[in-house]
Every structure is written in C-alpha cells, then in structure tokens.
Amino acid sequence: MTSLTADSLAHRIDAVVIGASAGGVEVLSVLLPALPATLRAPVFVVLHQPPDRRSVLTEIFRRKCVLPVHEAEDKEPVVPGTVYFAPPNYHLLIERGPSLALSVDDLVQFSRPSIDVLFQSAAEVYGRRLLGVVLTGWNEDGASGLLAVRQARGVTVVQDPDTAEAPVMPQAARLRCQPDLVLAPQAIAELLRSLAAPASDASPSPSALPS
Amino acid sequence: MDAALDPVPEHVAKTFRIELPLLLEAIYLKYHYDFREYAHASLKRRLTAAMIRFNCRTLSQLQERVLHEPAVFPQLLDFLTVQVSEMFRDPTYYRAVREHMVPILRTYPSLKIWVAGCSTGEEVYSMAILLREEGLLERSLIYATDINSQALQRAEAGVFDIDRMAGFTENHRRSGGRSSLSDYYTAAFGRAVIDKSLRKHIVFSDHSLATDSVFAEVQFVSCRNVLIYFNRELQDRALGLFVDALCRKGFLGLGSKESLRFSAHSDAFTDVSREERIFQLKDRP
C-alpha cells in the first residue's frame, strides 16, 4: 500500500462512503460532526434501520453537523461537501455524473439499504479516489463492498472491532479485504477531518459561501 | 496473499462499459425490449447476477447466449425487470389517495386508472381493493401494464404466497382499510387467491414506457418505483406519456422517494401531498 499521509489523501479523495449497522448512530455522531466546512468530497452513508419507519436520521445529524445533511433522492446530482443518507427500505447507488440512484431490488445481506450495494457502485464511479469506511454492526454487509473499493484501488478503513458495540461487521470486513487502516472512531474522525483541503489552497466550498 | 485482494485491472471495468451498450442494443434489435436508457448502476448489478446464473464470465458471453439460445432471453428478462412488491406498500401513500384524491375521483361518473409497471400485480389489487372500499370500483377500469409478459400473467392469475398475507394485512390496515383484507382473497393450499370480482375491473396489458405511446385518457396514473430504474431521458419520456394520458387536473402518484424535481416535466404538476409524492396536473392554458 502506498503511504497514506493526510496531505496525499486530501488531494486524492473525491468521495467517502460509510456503512454502519447496530451501534452506528453513536459512531456516526463522532464522525459526521468532525467533517469540516471546507470538505469538498461528498459523504454517502448507509445506516441499517427498520424499513417501515420514517427516518429521523437526517434531522438528528443536521443539527450536529457543519455540512448539509440530506436524505438521498433519486437522480439528484451529487453536490460536493454534502452528507447523503440512504433512505430506509431503498438501496442507494452512485451513477456516473455523479448523481444518486435508488432501487427497491432484493435485500442484499438481509439489508436494504445495503452497504455492499452503495460501496460497489461508488467504487465503479470513483475508483482510487474513493475512501470506504465500515463501522459497527451484527451482520456481514459491507465486507464485499469494501473489497470492491480495494479492488478499485480506493482507500479502505475499518473500525477497530475492539471499539465496536457490534464487532461482527468490522471483523468480517477486516478478514475479507485486509483494509489499509483499522482505527478507533476518534482516529477515523481525525482522518476524515484531514480530507479537507489545507487552508492555504482551499477555495471555499459552496456551503461556506455567503448566500 | 489472496488473489481477490488484488486490484481489478482497469481494462476489465472499461471493457464492461463497452459491452453493456452492445448487449442492450442486441436485446433491442432481437427482442424489441428497450433497456438502452435504464440507469446503469442497478442494471450492472442485475446483469452481474445474471452472468453468474448463466455461467458467463463476460457480458459478451451473455450476449452470445442471448442472441443464439432462444430460452435464455425470457429468463434474463426476469433478472432485468421483476420487482417484488407488496400489497399496500407504503400504507401512507394509500391513505393519502383516500384522503386527498377519492373525494375528487367521486365526482367523475366513470373512472380510468393506469397502474404503470405493475409487475406481479400487488399494487394493482391494492388499488382495486381501495376503490371497492370507497365504493368506486364498480364505475372504474384499471389499466395494469408492464413490459414483462410473464409477470403480467402472474398478476392476472392473482395468486400470492399465503405467508405474505400477514404483512399485506398489516399494510392494508395502516392504509386506512375499512374492511378486512381477508374479504378479498380465499386461502387454499398455502396460497391466497384474489377475489375474481376485482379482476373484472382490471385490464392487464403489455406496454413499454420506453417504446409505446399513450393508449387512453385516465384520471390517475400510479407508477411507483419504476422511474428510479430509468435514466433521466427515459424518465422524461415516461412522464411525458403520463402528462399526455392524464385528463385535465388528473393525478400522478410516484414512489415515496421519487421526485419530479430533476425532470423536464416538473412544471406541469403541482403537489397534492408532497410527503406521499402525489401530484396533480396543472390546468393547461
């Protein structure tokens, strides 16, 4: 693996995908508020949740985050520096453009939205410029997806299972794809913070511009 | 070291992107099914699953089989089209139909409703049951269309696995159902057979939103979770058909995460229920 300095990552990473299941809200509460206003990469999140409930996730995280937080809509063009959540009971996919796509295809790894589906489609679009993160959970969704990120030469990160409320998912991802980094939530937050363009060469992101 | 961990060579993904439009063109020329403007990400997943099923290493191999083995295409079509839906999927949608649309639909002496992309029929029967509960079915005709004739045959048969009925019953109750769902089917041998008197009001028909044109004037088009599989151009074509099919101030219902925001036809409609994705055609000048 080539060296992953914060500086090289800031110039390389165009998008971030994050997958979480049981215990995920707590970890995302560490990661997403750490995302700085100057971040240009969009962040796509799959968090497993009950299918028939109206999601309050975007409400919860909108209040905690500097960046805008949306529930993904079909055919929506991807806006830099935005956090997108997959809606409950829909798979979220990334299309070339890039834009967002939803599907109601069969469950994958007993899940819809499925982390594998998001990661595989994002790997196809972003290739080596993608950072994939698999967090806490009780099933094995995300392992195949993170492997796809790795095969596309993207950067792979897994939450240290010892820090996970549910270690099965990060363990499966670690075994399956031998990730570049295995980190505690705080360290993942640091990594995400470092993706923002350094102040010297940063042009303000659209969200930081006065309206 | 596990070979699966190695990077997939760039040319593999690039070659797939060449093979995909070739396969879709071949399907179109040979079988007149047009998937050329379907959204690629979902299509790629479905075709990857089909490659495994048909034991093909590449899309080109799949193309060879599709073109030269007549038995392959009908099976491939199932990979490309069939969606498993539920009766009264998203109960709040049907509740909104009852609350916002039924009072207006009541004012028409006869009703025509188009369920576009009906697949195996769950949504069609949901609509028929709702109309009967609201006392409107006797004056209604429902057009149920899909491109997959096998799915249409299953829809027409109206037979569902009995294990699914408990979930459907709960959905129906939450949709504001005024009766018991069990009034509309008979259970036998592990199956639920939908009441034939509902079917009298439904016309099942082959129709492609990609290649066919408008066939009737209707007061309501319900097309849920179909447009998400189309690219923007095809979505616009389909919405254009709906605009042309709808009567003055007719209604359009979409899937709960579909929107008109990114479409060329967004200005043609106003919101009836933003949350439930029910729209009404604006009065044409």
Side-chain angles (χ1 to χ4, degrees):
Chain A
M1 183 66 220
T2 51
S3 67
L4 291 173
T5 63
D7 195 44
S8 72
L9 279 184
H11 286 99
R12 168 174 166 190
I13 296 303
D14 279 346
V16 178
V17 285
I18 302 176
S21 189
V25 173
E26 288 77 2
V27 185
L28 289 172
S29 299
V30 176
L31 303 192
L32 300 183
L35 299 169
T38 50
L39 184 72
R40 276 180 281 187
V43 179
F44 309 106
V45 186
V46 163
L47 175 62
H48 294 159
Q49 46 185 327
D52 54 348
R53 212 172 288 167
R54 215 160 272 287
S55 177
V56 290
L57 285 176
T58 50
E59 304 305 319
I60 294 172
F61 285 102
R62 198 169 288 153
R63 275 182 257 122
K64 296 181 180 186
C65 292
V66 187
L67 292 178
V69 178
H70 290 309
E71 188 171 83
E73 284 205 49
D74 187 55
K75 310 232 183 318
E76 187 175 4
V78 171
V79 176
T82 305
V83 178
Y84 296 97
F85 273 90
N89 217 9
Y90 283 80
H91 292 303
L92 169 61
L93 304 95
I94 313 301
E95 288 276 355
R96 280 172 188 280
S99 62
L100 306 177
L102 302 177
S103 107
V104 289
D105 280 4
D106 286 342
L107 308 191
V108 172
Q109 293 290 334
F110 314 102
S111 309
R112 190 173 57 211
S114 149
I115 301 164
D116 285 344
V117 171
L118 170 64
F119 280 32
Q120 285 159 358
S121 67
E124 169 88 10
V125 171
Y126 291 104
R128 66 182 300 277
R129 309 189 73 83
L130 180 67
L131 173 75
V133 185
V134 172
L135 303 174
T136 170
W138 284 123
N139 67 15
E140 303 199 347
D141 192 17
S144 297
L146 201 66
L147 182 63
V149 176
R150 183 187 163 125
Q151 288 172 331
R153 300 181 173 78
V155 179
T156 51
V157 180
V158 168
Q159 181 183 356
D160 181 349
D162 291 343
T163 69
E165 183 181 319
V168 172
M169 203 162 87
Q171 261 160 8
R174 185 165 71 173
L175 265 170
R176 187 76 189 279
C177 85
Q178 299 174 17
D180 299 313
L181 300 163
V182 176
L183 301 171
Q186 284 298 344
I188 302 174
E190 272 311 308
L191 181 75
L192 295 176
R193 210 173 277 134
S194 74
L195 294 181
S200 53
D201 67 306
S203 54
S205 75
S207 62
L209 287 172
S211 49
Chain B
M1 182 108 162
D2 186 348
L5 297 174
D6 294 341
V8 172
E10 189 73 13
H11 69 82
V12 173
K14 274 196 181 141
T15 305
F16 192 99
R17 288 200 286 276
I18 293 168
E19 291 170 303
L20 179 58
L22 295 177
L23 171 65
L24 301 180
E25 192 69 27
I27 289 172
Y28 178 65
L29 291 174
K30 174 113 182 173
Y31 300 101
H32 312 293
Y33 282 89
D34 194 353
F35 294 100
R36 295 174 299 175
E37 294 195 273
Y38 273 49
H40 273 188
S42 283
L43 206 50
K44 183 178 178 184
R45 287 198 69 80
R46 289 168 167 215
L47 285 170
T48 304
M51 280 163 63
I52 294 167
R53 161 68 181 74
F54 294 108
N55 220 348
C56 295
R57 213 167 32 79
T58 66
L59 269 192
S60 302
Q61 286 179 356
L62 185 60
Q63 178 176 320
E64 151 103 29
R65 296 199 59 188
V66 165
L67 285 175
H68 297 286
E69 297 175 43
V72 168
F73 181 68
Q75 297 174 58
L76 179 63
L77 190 59
D78 268 349
F79 276 90
L80 293 177
T81 58
V82 164
Q83 284 128 53
V84 178
S85 186
E86 297 165 28
M87 288 179 78
F88 294 96
R89 181 189 157 107
D90 305 321
T92 48
Y93 171 77
Y94 291 93
R95 187 179 281 272
V97 169
R98 288 180 205 273
E99 284 172 9
H100 298 295
M101 280 176 48
V102 163
I104 296 160
L105 294 181
R106 252 183 232 298
T107 64
Y108 292 98
S110 74
L111 284 175
K112 286 181 178 161
I113 291 166
W114 179 10
V115 178
C118 70
S119 192
T120 46
E122 288 84 343
E123 305 235 349
V124 185
Y125 291 116
S126 306
M127 196 63 73
I129 290 167
L130 183 153
L131 291 170
R132 170 149 298 165
E133 286 177 329
E134 301 297 337
L136 292 173
L137 188 64
E138 292 311 310
R139 62 173 109 153
S140 299
L141 183 61
I142 302 174
Y143 298 105
T145 64
D146 202 271
I147 59 169
N148 184 333
S149 52
Q150 290 177 53
L152 276 173
Q153 278 170 20
R154 284 168 60 194
E156 197 158 7
V159 178
F160 300 107
D161 193 338
I162 196 82
D163 296 340
R164 303 176 68 201
M165 298 314 282
F168 295 175
T169 299
E170 173 62 13
N171 284 351
H172 171 249
R173 190 188 59 73
R174 288 172 53 207
S175 80
R178 295 163 194 269
S179 51
S180 165
L181 190 63
S182 60
D183 296 347
Y184 302 99
Y185 67 88
T186 44
F189 306 109
R191 284 153 187 226
V193 183
I194 299 290
D195 182 352
K196 287 191 172 48
S197 72
L198 296 176
R199 271 149 56 187
K200 278 199 317 204
H201 298 274
I202 306 171
V203 177
F204 292 92
S205 176
D206 249 312
H207 182 274
S208 164
L209 296 171
T211 53
D212 291 331
S213 48
V214 170
F215 53 86
E217 187 181 69
V218 301
Q219 285 96 351
F220 176 24
V221 175
S222 189
C223 180
R224 311 190 63 231
N225 298 317
V226 176
L227 302 183
I228 51 178
Y229 293 100
F230 296 174
N231 72 13
R232 271 206 211 189
E233 290 70 30
L234 184 52
Q235 177 182 271
D236 281 341
R237 183 189 197 277
L239 286 169
L241 292 185
F242 300 158
V243 167
D244 291 344
L246 283 170
C247 69
R248 184 176 162 267
K249 294 191 146 189
F251 294 97
L252 171 67
L254 299 178
S256 62
K257 300 299 170 190
E258 292 176 313
S259 86
L260 296 172
R261 264 174 67 203
F262 310 107
S263 141
H265 297 284
S266 60
D267 290 341
F269 293 92
T270 52
D271 288 340
V272 172
S273 165
R274 185 183 292 259
E275 191 72 357
E276 299 305 332
R277 311 298 161 122
I278 295 175
F279 308 90
Q280 187 171 27
L281 196 60
K282 282 183 192 164
D283 229 344
R284 276 170 275 207

